[in-house]
């Protein structure tokens, strides 16, 4: 339950400061000024951080501004059930399946790609890594390929499926998994992944995944642990999901009725919020509810536990190479940088700042140096979101300073290229 208290004039009331100033300076006193005084004396719940209120206001404004487009999109969404049925009915006609040069083995890796500008060199590297680890790559392209791209990929895979970009990554995952069922294939291991991340970035990745799979049924790279946000910087909740750019699925999970039912009944959609809710989040929730064990190589709680054991020199470097997409966190970091690390209270303030930051944004994105030293940089997001752009810049600074080991050349070249293009 919230406690209520009056709001200070220095706290945002929801009306921009310039708007309040304009009303006062316009000479329009009377009812308008009276209403403003009443408005500023309104109460608001304590315990909710101001940044979250601002975020929710921006989100609500975005929803309002996006309402006309959403309404205009309604007919297309209403046609999706018929589109799904037509897609399945005419599957062989609306998709293209090509045999590759890699032989079929007992382990299969579904790799979904979306590369309309041409096949990335790092994609070929990922395929070769999968083959070297004993997997037969089943590539799924969510865009048609040219002859050159198709030939490139054929040499690196067992099968290549080209399809329309219907349903984002989970649409492609679904088609590939159901295709394996139609072929009556039952691999002992199945990897499901997409090209939204660069990987592998460390040579021991598969060994670590297999070790974790000895005590789990589905293994991911990162476990997204949900946070209850408050003015104390947030507290963890029990809700979580595995991020959907990578799953290693054991035979126990593959043969479980819940796994099979999920993909047989999954309703792919081009409405992204539903794909996230019913796909990425829904998959983890339903597998957990069915009693399957889900684990990941990295998660925020482990990051904070390891961080607390590090010395001050480690914390200094963690902050030096930090990445922020929120102005208040950036300002807080600047204030910390002004302080002498030897002074009383600095360490506690630094640890608390890091905790608050990772409760709001991904720990591996916000603190790439610490993530590398604690877990190793096993993958990296390609996203154009501000936090991930800042992450790549911080990572490259640490790499340039000799603080981190370099990833494979193909990956490093692409990281540098995309970072330079988005500055």
């Amino acid at each position: 339950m919230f406690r209520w208290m009056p709001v200070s004039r220095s706290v945002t009331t929801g009306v921009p400061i310039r708007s309040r100033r304009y009303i006062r300076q316009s000479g329009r006193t009377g009812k308008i000024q009276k209403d403003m005084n009443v408005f500023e004396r309104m109460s608001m719940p304590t315990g909710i951080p101001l940044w979250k209120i601002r975020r929710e206001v921006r989100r609500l404004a975005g929803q309002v501004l996006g309402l006309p487009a959403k309404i205009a999109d309604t007919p297309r969404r209403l046609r999706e059930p018929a589109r799904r049925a037509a897609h399945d009915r005419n599957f062989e006609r609306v998709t293209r399946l090509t045999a590759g040069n890699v032989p079929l083995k007992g382990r299969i890796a579904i790799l979904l790609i979306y590369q309309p500008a041409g096949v990335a060199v790092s994609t070929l590297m990922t395929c070769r890594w999968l083959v070297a680890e004993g997997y037969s790559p089943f590539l799924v392209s969510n865009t048609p390929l040219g002859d050159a791209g198709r030939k490139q990929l054929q040499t690196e895979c067992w099968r290549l499926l080209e399809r329309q970009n219907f349903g984002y990554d989970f649409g492609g995952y679904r088609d590939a998994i159901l295709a394996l069922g139609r072929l009556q294939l039952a691999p002992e291991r199945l990897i499901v992944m997409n090209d939204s991340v660069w990987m592998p970035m460390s040579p021991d990745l598969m060994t670590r995944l297999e070790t974790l799979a000895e005590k789990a049924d589905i293994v991911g790279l990162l476990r997204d642990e949900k946070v209850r946000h408050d003015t104390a910087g947030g507290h963890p909740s029990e809700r979580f999901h595995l991020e959907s750019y990578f799953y290693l699925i054991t035979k126990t999970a593959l043969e479980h009725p819940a796994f099979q039912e999920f993909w047989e009944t999954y309703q792919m959609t081009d409405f992204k919020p539903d794909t996230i809710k019913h796909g990425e989040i829904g998959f983890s929730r339903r597998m957990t509810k069915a009693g399957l064990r889900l684990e990941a190589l990295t998660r925020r709680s482990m990051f904070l536990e390891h961080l607390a054991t590090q010395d001050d020199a480690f914390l200094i470097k963690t902050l030096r190479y930090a990445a922020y997409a929120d102005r208040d966190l950036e300002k807080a970091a600047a204030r910390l940088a002004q302080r002498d690390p030897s002074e009383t209270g600095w360490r506690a303030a630094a640890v608390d700042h890091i905790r608050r930051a990772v409760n709001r944004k991904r720990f591996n994105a916000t603190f790439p140096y610490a993530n590398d030293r604690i877990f190793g940089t096993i993958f990296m997001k390609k996203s154009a979101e501000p936090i991930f752009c800042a992450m790549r810049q911080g990572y490259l600074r640490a790499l340039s300073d000799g603080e981190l080991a370099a990833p494979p050349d193909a990956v490093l070249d692409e990281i540098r290229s995309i970072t330079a293009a988005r500055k």
Side-chain angles (χ1 to χ4, degrees):
M1 181 178 292
F2 291 125
R3 293 183 297 107
W4 297 82
M5 64 179 288
V7 180
S8 166
R9 284 178 180 269
S10 64
V11 177
T12 300
T13 61
V15 178
I17 292 174
R18 280 184 294 183
S19 299
R20 300 206 303 269
R21 185 180 300 121
Y22 172 79
I23 291 172
R24 293 190 181 107
Q25 291 178 352
S26 66
R28 296 171 60 193
T29 53
K31 187 175 185 304
I32 291 180
Q33 186 62 59
K34 181 179 179 181
D35 289 345
M36 286 300 301
N37 292 337
V38 171
F39 188 71
E40 290 205 1
R41 288 197 301 269
M42 288 176 63
S43 296
M44 64 180 291
T46 63
I48 302 178
L50 187 57
W51 69 263
K52 188 175 183 183
I53 295 172
R54 288 170 174 162
R55 184 192 70 182
E56 292 304 307
V57 169
R58 288 194 297 268
R59 183 179 63 82
L60 181 60
Q63 289 179 344
V64 171
L65 293 173
L67 191 58
K70 189 173 182 180
I71 293 173
D73 194 48
T74 298
R76 183 174 65 85
R77 293 190 62 195
L78 292 175
R79 291 194 297 269
E80 279 197 337
R83 186 183 176 194
R84 284 192 292 265
H87 176 84
D88 290 343
R89 186 172 59 251
N90 304 311
F91 185 78
E92 293 184 359
R93 186 166 59 83
V94 299
T95 62
R96 177 171 180 165
L97 185 63
T98 305
N101 297 344
V102 175
L104 176 63
K105 300 176 183 178
R107 300 184 175 200
I108 297 174
I110 295 169
L111 170 55
L112 183 134
I113 65 173
Y114 180 73
Q115 298 177 9
V119 178
V121 175
S122 61
T123 297
L124 304 178
M125 181 205 74
T126 300
C127 289
R128 291 164 189 160
W129 168 69
L130 290 168
V131 172
E133 296 291 351
Y135 284 81
S136 301
F138 183 1
L139 293 182
V140 181
S141 176
N142 265 7
T143 186
L145 297 165
D147 290 339
R150 190 175 299 112
K151 288 179 180 177
Q152 273 184 297
L153 293 174
Q154 273 183 271
T155 63
E156 310 293 346
C157 72
W158 164 66
R159 288 290 186 273
L160 171 60
L161 176 67
E162 297 171 62
R163 64 188 296 277
Q164 295 177 341
N165 189 17
F166 180 25
Y168 298 101
D169 53 351
F170 265 76
Y173 290 172
R174 169 194 179 272
D175 281 356
I177 290 171
L178 295 184
L180 293 179
R182 287 193 294 270
L183 293 171
Q184 297 184 331
L185 295 175
E188 62 185 53
R189 282 277 198 277
L190 178 67
I191 285 176
V192 179
M193 61 183 293
N194 65 43
D195 66 345
S196 67
V197 296
W198 285 289
M199 65 172 292
M201 292 181 66
S202 61
D204 65 341
L205 175 55
M206 190 61 74
T207 299
R208 294 171 62 184
L209 288 166
E210 289 290 347
T211 299
L212 193 54
E214 292 175 2
K215 58 181 181 180
D217 303 309
I218 301 175
V219 176
L221 297 179
L222 190 148
R223 172 169 160 156
D224 183 359
E225 298 169 315
K226 299 303 179 184
V227 172
R228 295 187 182 94
H229 293 291
D230 53 34
T231 52
H235 293 85
S237 73
E238 295 181 355
R239 295 181 301 136
F240 76 92
H241 68 269
L242 300 182
E243 299 217 327
S244 62
Y245 37 76
F246 183 92
Y247 304 113
L248 187 153
I249 303 163
T250 66
K251 197 172 186 65
T252 299
L254 287 170
E255 294 178 346
H256 198 286
F259 180 86
Q260 297 171 12
E261 181 188 19
F262 177 87
W263 294 107
E264 288 169 357
T265 61
Y266 178 71
Q267 304 293 300
M268 58 184 177
T269 176
D270 280 340
F271 187 56
K272 198 161 190 177
D274 281 356
T275 298
I276 296 171
K277 179 180 179 180
H278 302 298
E280 181 174 49
I281 297 175
F283 177 70
S284 288
R285 299 274 169 86
R286 286 176 61 177
M287 296 307 101
T288 301
K289 186 177 180 181
L292 292 172
R293 300 165 300 169
L294 278 61
E295 292 290 348
L297 291 180
T298 68
R299 59 179 185 266
R300 183 184 62 252
S301 55
M302 289 171 58
F303 175 85
L304 290 173
E305 288 170 8
H306 283 283
L307 185 91
T309 67
Q310 303 298 322
D311 59 21
D312 289 355
F314 185 96
L315 297 181
I316 291 170
K317 289 182 181 180
T318 294
L319 297 172
R320 179 182 302 159
Y321 301 110
Y324 300 102
D326 296 301
R327 187 62 180 156
D328 61 323
L329 290 175
E330 194 171 5
K331 287 180 178 179
R335 289 194 295 271
L336 268 175
Q338 299 285 331
R339 296 174 60 179
D340 184 346
S342 64
E343 74 178 52
T344 302
W346 180 90
R347 180 181 175 84
V351 171
D352 185 65
H353 167 76
I354 293 170
R355 178 188 66 85
R356 288 171 179 268
V358 302
N359 278 347
R360 199 185 305 181
K361 291 286 193 296
R362 296 286 184 272
F363 62 87
N364 59 320
T366 308
F367 300 109
Y369 169 81
N371 176 70
D372 183 275
R373 306 311 297 167
I374 292 172
F375 298 116
T377 302
I378 54 179
F379 72 96
M380 184 168 289
K381 287 282 287 182
K382 301 177 183 178
S383 172
E385 291 180 39
I387 185 61
F388 293 111
C389 292
M391 168 197 68
R392 291 188 290 270
Q393 292 173 7
Y395 173 80
L396 290 176
R397 288 200 311 273
L399 195 63
S400 177
D401 290 348
E403 298 291 349
L404 305 178
D409 290 343
V411 171
L412 182 56
D413 288 346
E414 290 179 20
I415 292 174
R416 284 172 170 162
S417 178
I418 196 172
T419 301
R422 289 174 177 167
K423 276 187 178 179

